[in-house]
Amino acid sequence: MRWQWSTFDSLSTPQLYEILRVRQEVFTVEQLCPYQDADGKDQYSWHLGCWGDRQEPPHLMAYLRVVFPGHKYREPSLGRVLTTAPSRGTGLGKELIRRAVDHTLSEYPNTAIRISAQEHLGDFYREFGFQRASAPYDEDGIPHIEMLRPPPKVAPAND
């Protein structure tokens, strides 16, 4: 497997097709949730994919995007977080979030990170420092909560 960070413009056409195909497979077909996936935010996001190398072309095993600050929320935000059915239970989801948090903090040091999480995944995201930041709300027929990962604490400088 191969991890890859990309901007929208640096994704190849086959990579973009695979990302959109898998997002539709997971969010629309598996979750029985018709919604507008192409929301105009992909162009303002970092895209992290875990690509399997055993098939040609490589297939997507896990994915998320980090929407730049000011395009969805004031903070950078994680979204479209997924692992494909064959990859679930392998630890890829945890590695995906770990990499996303590390990358986001390297791009936007000392900032909070926001996520609109499916409510049943709250405990999963708490493992990475996210805290509940809203009451539950309905998003496309699925209960969600906003969660915020506070900025890292900066150690005081020694005088």
Side-chain angles (χ1 to χ4, degrees):
M1 79 180 116
R2 175 177 50 87
W3 291 93
Q4 179 182 340
W5 280 103
S6 305
T7 61
F8 182 80
D9 290 336
S10 69
L11 291 167
S12 69
T13 302
Q15 287 173 323
L16 180 58
Y17 177 85
E18 177 69 353
I19 288 168
L20 295 174
R21 184 193 71 75
V22 170
R23 284 181 4 189
Q24 185 177 37
E25 176 182 286
V26 171
F27 298 123
T28 304
V29 177
E30 286 181 17
Q31 296 182 2
L32 302 172
C33 183
Y35 76 105
Q36 183 67 45
D37 181 50
D39 61 358
K41 294 179 179 60
D42 287 315
Q43 298 91 322
Y44 306 101
S45 301
W46 284 100
H47 300 266
L48 174 58
C50 179
W51 299 90
D53 293 324
R54 293 190 181 151
Q55 296 177 348
E56 219 21 74
H59 64 287
L60 193 60
M61 300 168 64
Y63 168 84
L64 63 68
R65 70 181 183 185
V66 179
V67 181
F68 303 155
H71 288 275
K72 181 169 181 166
Y73 299 108
R74 186 169 34 100
E75 308 86 1
S77 63
L78 308 185
R80 302 297 198 263
V81 179
L82 66 84
T83 54
T84 59
S87 301
R88 292 181 194 139
T90 65
L92 276 182
K94 288 183 177 188
E95 183 63 15
L96 181 74
I97 299 301
R98 186 195 65 74
R99 287 173 181 261
V101 168
D102 288 351
H103 180 83
T104 303
L105 291 176
S106 73
E107 290 291 318
Y108 308 103
N110 305 318
T111 189
I113 304 170
R114 190 170 295 269
I115 187 168
S116 174
Q118 292 183 6
E119 187 176 24
H120 74 277
L121 294 172
D123 289 340
F124 173 78
Y125 291 113
R126 271 190 278 285
E127 292 181 41
F128 299 93
F130 287 88
Q131 302 167 3
R132 186 182 198 130
S134 77
Y137 59 92
D138 180 85
E139 186 172 307
D140 302 313
I142 299 172
H144 279 68
I145 53 172
E146 279 189 22
M147 299 187 82
L148 191 66
R149 186 182 191 280
K153 293 191 173 154
V154 178
N158 293 336
D159 294 330

